[in-house]
Structure formats: C-alpha cells, structure tokens
C-alpha cells in the first residue's frame, strides 16, 4: 500500500490533483469536485491535530474497530460509503482555493514523515506511522479516482 509519507506517492497525488478541472463530474457520489477537495482536507487536519472530532459512544467505537484495517489495507473502498458528519461538505466551494488548501495540507502532513508518535484517532484509536500514511493516501486515491484523476 502506498503512503503519503513517500515522496513518490505525494508527487503522484499532487499531479493527479493538479489535473482536476473545475467542471469534472464524479463517477459516483453527491459532491462536486470543489466539495471533494474541501472534504479531502479533513482527515489530514485530524491527523495534524488541526480538527477535533466528537468521540463516538462505546457502541460506535466497537463498530468502528471492526472496519479499522480497511482504512489502510490495499483493498479499494466501496463507492458511496457514508462519512462522518464533520467531513460532509454541501456548500459551494471555490475550486482554486480548495485545491491550493488541500495541496498545503498534504505538504504539512508529508513534512511529518519522520514523526514516530502520533495521537490516537478520535474514532478508530491508535495507528502506527505507516498506517497513518497509508490511510491518508488511500482516502485521497479514493476521491481522485471518483473524479477520474
């Protein structure tokens, strides 16, 4: 599985983001491309400690733990999976601003590639450095594929 801590993977993701056009339509889902770019910042911001999520109740934590490994394994995510309410984007967004902001978040995350200690994820608990990098890559790959990039 590729990792957002790899220089090659970051270069690939950056190129794919730069290829996006404001008028591209998704292959699935409800978000337009600008909303998708805004959405993709949120998991990076959680990892960087810039966005706090509400901690789920015990039942949800148990449920989430059953899906934890799917966040960073090499099996593609299914289309139209539900997302946490904090990651939903339904308002109009500026394409160029969201693209620039996402690229900046990717760079901030990648700059921490040598960090060994990571805070626990509020919903899924502890991840290793490798799992954080794989999970971030997989999320971006999923949504870029959604828009044919």
């Amino acid at each position: 599985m590729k990792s957002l801590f790899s220089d090659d993977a970051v270069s690939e993701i950056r190129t794919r983001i730069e290829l996006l056009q404001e008028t591209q339509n998704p292959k699935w889902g409800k978000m337009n491309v600008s909303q998708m770019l805004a959405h993709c910042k949120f998991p990076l911001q959680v990892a960087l400690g810039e966005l706090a999520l509400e901690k789920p109740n015990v039942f949800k934590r148990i449920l989430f733990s059953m899906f934890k490994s799917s966040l960073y394994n090499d099996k593609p995510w299914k289309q139209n999976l539900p997302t946490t309410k904090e990651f939903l984007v339904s308002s109009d967004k500026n394409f160029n601003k969201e693209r620039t902001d996402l690229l900046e978040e990717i760079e901030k995350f990648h700059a921490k590639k040598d960090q060994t200690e990571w805070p626990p994820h509020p919903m899924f608990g502890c991840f290793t450095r490798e799992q954080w990098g794989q999970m971030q890559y997989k999320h971006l790959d999923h949504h870029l594929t959604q828009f044919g990039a």
Side-chain angles (χ1 to χ4, degrees):
M1 184 68 208
K2 293 181 183 180
S3 168
L4 211 54
F5 290 133
S6 156
D7 293 342
D8 290 341
V10 169
S11 179
E12 171 209 323
I13 291 291
R14 185 182 307 118
T15 298
R16 291 169 67 187
I17 291 170
E18 289 169 354
L19 289 172
L20 291 169
Q21 299 295 315
E22 187 171 4
T23 57
Q24 269 176 272
N25 292 316
K27 294 179 179 181
W28 70 85
K30 297 176 183 175
M31 291 185 289
N32 64 36
V33 69
S34 301
Q35 292 167 329
M36 177 274 290
L37 292 167
H39 164 83
C40 284
K41 293 183 301 188
F42 299 141
L44 292 160
Q45 291 170 338
V46 169
L48 294 166
E50 298 172 356
L51 177 64
L53 299 178
E54 186 178 311
K55 281 197 166 200
N57 61 39
V58 174
F59 173 74
K60 284 185 179 178
R61 277 186 290 195
I62 292 169
L63 182 64
F64 289 147
S65 71
M66 296 185 326
F67 299 101
K68 184 176 177 178
S69 66
S70 70
L71 296 174
Y72 53 82
N73 67 20
D74 60 355
K75 291 170 60 175
W77 288 340
K78 293 179 182 175
Q79 299 172 0
N80 295 311
L81 289 172
T83 189
T84 185
K85 64 183 177 187
E86 291 95 343
F87 291 3
L88 292 175
V89 179
S90 57
S91 61
D92 290 335
K93 297 291 179 185
N94 178 286
F95 175 78
N96 290 320
K97 178 186 181 322
E98 295 303 331
R99 180 167 50 187
T100 298
D101 290 351
L102 177 57
L103 290 168
E104 287 175 6
E105 290 297 323
I106 290 168
E107 291 303 322
K108 283 194 283 186
F109 181 81
H110 181 69
K112 294 188 175 271
K113 64 184 175 186
D114 295 324
Q115 182 174 312
T116 55
E117 297 293 320
W118 287 82
H121 189 283
M123 296 177 157
F124 294 98
C126 294
F127 289 105
T128 66
R129 174 195 165 281
E130 290 76 19
Q131 291 167 340
W132 273 112
Q134 292 166 341
M135 177 173 52
Q136 298 300 336
Y137 175 87
K138 188 171 181 177
H139 183 248
L140 291 165
D141 177 64
H142 173 76
H143 286 294
L144 290 170
T145 299
Q146 177 185 15
F147 283 86

